[in-house]
Amino acid sequence: MRKEIDGAEIIKFTRTKHFDFVECEDNKNEQITVLPICNYEQKNAYYLFACL
């Protein structure tokens, strides 16, 4: 599993097949399978990324 996304460190992640679908740029529906919780260095905030 990756340790960072877009320069943000992955703190924790969930893995399940029960997340919803998202419409991608090619108009296809893709299922979200991982939700990593991330933090950018020097930031007091957390970010949730939806990964296919």
Side-chain angles (χ1 to χ4, degrees):
M1 188 53 117
R2 295 171 64 162
K3 295 185 182 199
E4 71 173 44
I5 297 173
D6 189 40
E9 177 187 8
I10 297 173
I11 307 299
K12 295 274 186 183
F13 66 90
T14 61
R15 217 181 242 187
T16 182
K17 301 254 181 197
H18 300 291
F19 296 113
D20 209 348
F21 290 83
V22 63
E23 186 176 324
C24 297
E25 291 176 359
D26 60 3
N27 294 324
K28 290 183 183 178
N29 287 328
E30 297 286 345
Q31 186 174 22
I32 297 170
T33 58
V34 178
L35 289 174
I37 301 167
C38 302
N39 177 258
Y40 287 98
E41 189 175 346
Q42 307 293 326
K43 299 278 184 173
N44 280 339
Y46 292 92
Y47 300 85
L48 183 64
F49 290 83
C51 299
L52 309 177

